[in-house]
């Protein structure tokens, strides 16, 4: 069952795929996602267990005139290193999607992940458990067979304690892209609210003010407030 072309196009739009990207399709089937990404100028690799499908995908890519931008590999996705991708796409059985989740979460922050239909909520024993919620879901109407597309952006890791340059401490916990914690100043602490990561961008509210920061491993560069009331701040990770 391939992804309907309309849904492939929607997924690539959601990830904003361009000629700057390397897309890797995990379970490439007849190659349509890889070929569509190449039509947008991206380099694209399809990983597929079935050698017959790999040959079909290569033939389809040649017929579409995108052989130079595409590659198809006969391999098991659980043994293939896809860490160089800037975009991952998949349309896999739910249990395979969930098995991939830890590896996908450890990809480079900012990597976009696309999935037809199956999301990364739940666990293998409890499908209703909270998991990694999609950042965006689009459902096509009318439905061309399969109609639900999800996108995630791999968040950077922020859990731990950060010292702001004014001495305050920011204690953070993280569950996928959701961030909670407290801002501590001279013995008193306020909870942060609405904490969220979009790749390397952290946003949260504290003391009634919006905070935004770019996170670069051990350092954050942030702004607080909006318009004329914007202040800059920095923080370092406390080892
Ligand atoms: C539903 S098709 C999706 C094809 C294509 N990505 C699309 O969206 O149209 C899933 C594909 O994943 C392949 N597949 C399943 N498990 C795999 C694995 N462990 N390694 C590589 N490919 C796998 C299957 O052979 C099948 O071609």
């Amino acid at each position: 069952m391939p992804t309907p072309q309309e849904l492939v196009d929607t997924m690539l739009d959601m990830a904003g795929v361009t000629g700057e990207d390397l897309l890797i399709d995990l379970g490439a089937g007849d190659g349509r996602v890889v070929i569509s990404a190449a039509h947008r100028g991206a380099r694209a690799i399809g990983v597929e267990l079935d050698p017959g499908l790999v040959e079909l995908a290569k033939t389809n890519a040649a017929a579409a005139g995108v052989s130079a931008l595409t590659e198809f590999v006969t391999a098991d996705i659980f043994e293939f290193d896809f860490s160089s991708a800037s975009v991952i796409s998949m349309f896999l059985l739910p249990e395979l999607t969930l098995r991939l989740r830890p590896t996908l979460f450890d990809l480079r922050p900012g990597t976009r992940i696309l999935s037809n239909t199956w999301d990364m909520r739940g666990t293998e024993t409890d499908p209703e458990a909270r998991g990694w919620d999609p950042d965006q879901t689009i459902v096509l109407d009318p439905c061309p067979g399969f109609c639900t597309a999800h996108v995630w952006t791999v968040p950077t890791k922020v859990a731990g304690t950060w010292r702001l340059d004014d001495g305050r401490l920011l204690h953070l916990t993280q569950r996928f892209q959701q961030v909670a914690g407290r801002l501590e100043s001279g013995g008193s602490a306020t909870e942060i609210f609405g904490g969220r990561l979009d790749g390397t961008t952290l946003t949260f509210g504290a003391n009634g003010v919006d905070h935004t920061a770019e996170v670069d491993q051990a350092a954050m560069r942030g702004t607080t407030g909006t318009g004329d009331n914007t202040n800059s701040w920095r923080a370092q990770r406390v080892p």
Side-chain angles (χ1 to χ4, degrees):
M1 288 174 300
T3 300
Q5 187 60 44
E6 196 183 339
L7 194 62
V8 172
D9 295 337
T10 301
M11 290 163 69
L12 298 181
D13 286 347
M14 288 165 85
V17 171
T18 70
E20 304 289 301
D21 284 307
L22 169 61
L23 177 143
I24 300 183
D25 190 26
L26 301 179
D30 65 6
R32 62 183 59 202
V33 179
V34 167
I35 292 166
S36 301
H39 279 313
R40 297 176 184 223
R43 285 188 304 124
I45 299 172
V47 186
E48 172 57 54
L49 213 45
D50 179 340
L53 283 175
V54 168
E55 286 314 307
L56 173 64
K58 285 180 181 171
T59 304
N60 290 343
V66 294
S67 293
L69 283 173
T70 60
E71 190 184 335
F72 293 93
V73 184
T74 306
D76 184 335
I77 53 173
F78 292 97
E79 286 164 15
F80 186 84
D81 177 4
F82 47 83
S83 59
S84 57
S86 59
V87 181
I88 293 289
S89 59
M90 55 194 184
F91 177 27
L92 294 164
L93 293 172
E95 56 268 31
L96 298 186
T97 307
L98 270 190
R99 241 177 92 193
L100 284 169
R101 186 171 70 187
T103 312
L104 294 170
F105 185 63
D106 275 340
L107 290 174
R108 201 172 47 235
T111 305
R112 290 95 83 208
I113 299 166
L114 296 165
S115 177
N116 170 352
T117 301
W118 306 110
D119 64 33
M120 294 192 276
R121 298 185 180 104
T123 65
E124 286 182 31
T125 49
D126 178 4
E128 300 306 320
R130 288 290 307 276
W132 187 1
D133 293 337
D135 293 316
Q136 188 191 10
T137 297
I138 290 180
V139 182
L140 296 184
D141 182 16
C143 181
F146 291 94
C147 38
T148 303
H150 305 288
V151 64
W152 297 256
T153 300
V154 175
T156 195
K157 310 281 197 298
V158 294
T161 297
W162 300 76
R163 187 183 302 280
L164 278 68
D165 41 16
D166 62 8
R168 289 180 296 165
L169 291 176
L170 181 60
H171 303 282
L172 299 178
T173 59
Q174 176 176 1
R175 181 162 168 74
F176 299 105
Q177 70 277 65
Q178 315 285 345
V179 178
R182 60 190 204 282
L183 193 54
E184 190 185 312
S185 173
S188 71
T190 44
E191 295 293 313
I192 69 163
F193 56 89
R196 196 174 170 83
L197 281 158
D198 179 8
T200 55
T201 306
L202 171 68
T203 50
F204 63 91
N207 299 317
V209 184
D210 292 335
H211 293 63
T212 302
E214 269 307 304
V215 185
D216 178 12
Q217 297 187 2
M220 287 186 195
R221 282 165 174 265
T223 54
T224 304
T226 50
D228 291 343
N229 292 323
T230 304
N231 294 309
S232 299
W233 53 274
R234 288 171 189 239
Q236 300 288 329
R237 192 185 273 282
V238 177

